[in-house]
Structures are given as C-alpha cells and as structure tokens.
Amino acid sequence: MPKISVIVPIYNVEKYISTCLESLLKQTLSDIEIICVDDKSPDNALSILYNYANKDSRVNVIELPENGGVARARNTGIDAATGEYISFVDPDDYVDLDY
C-alpha cells in the first residue's frame, strides 16, 4: 500500500499534463501512486498518460466511458485509491519536490 494516492482528473489538458506528471514523479517521497482519471478527454492526453504509465508503475490510468465532469473523475479516483492518504492535483498545475 502506498503512503499517498494522488488523484489527477484529466480533461483537455494535453499541453500541461507532462509538466504535472513530471513534478509528481520527482517527489522526494517516492511511495506514491498517481491515479489519472481520463474523463473522456477529446485531445491526446490519454496517449500521453499511457506513455507515462508504461515507463513508471506508479502511474495508473482509468478511462471513464463518458464525460461526467471533474467531481465524477475525482470520486472515481478516490474509489481506486489504495494509499493511506489521498491528495488531489489539477492536471494544469505542478507541485514542488516535497509536496
């Protein structure tokens, strides 16, 4: 069980998601899982997510069958989380190394 589950809702953020994921993967605490919930994004974000998931097992991708909004994406991430703690990061943000 990871210490922290970080939930990232994904919708139309292909321009920003790499910066976000890079900042999460470089955390000083490596005992994390990053749950990216694709809310049926119309852009190339899903492909970018799978590239990261193939490189790092801490990145988990969940695809929703239809767009349901950010609250549904976050709740889906909560249901999938296995960490002791849960955190949320917006996909167009990035975090400091010791977030």
Side-chain angles (χ1 to χ4, degrees), residues 7-95:
I7 299 167
V8 185
I10 306 296
Y11 188 80
N12 210 22
V13 290
E14 75 176 309
K15 293 180 184 178
Y16 313 106
I17 192 59
S18 291
T19 301
C20 177
L21 291 176
E22 289 293 332
S23 73
L24 291 169
L25 291 170
K26 292 179 181 176
Q27 291 298 296
T28 55
L29 175 67
S30 61
D31 189 16
I32 63 173
E33 68 177 346
I34 302 165
I35 302 170
C36 299
V37 183
D38 178 66
D39 195 20
K40 205 65 171 172
S41 186
D43 62 3
N44 195 38
L46 187 60
S47 175
I48 295 167
L49 294 176
Y50 278 117
N51 283 336
Y52 276 92
N54 288 332
K55 294 180 203 172
D56 195 310
S57 63
R58 296 176 294 171
V59 178
N60 302 309
V61 179
I62 298 172
E63 294 181 55
L64 295 179
E66 60 189 24
N67 179 266
V70 70
R72 180 177 176 205
R74 286 187 176 132
N75 287 333
T76 299
I78 290 169
D79 291 342
T82 62
E84 186 176 346
Y85 300 98
I86 293 177
S87 175
F88 299 96
V89 173
D90 287 335
D92 59 348
D93 288 339
Y94 59 91
V95 295

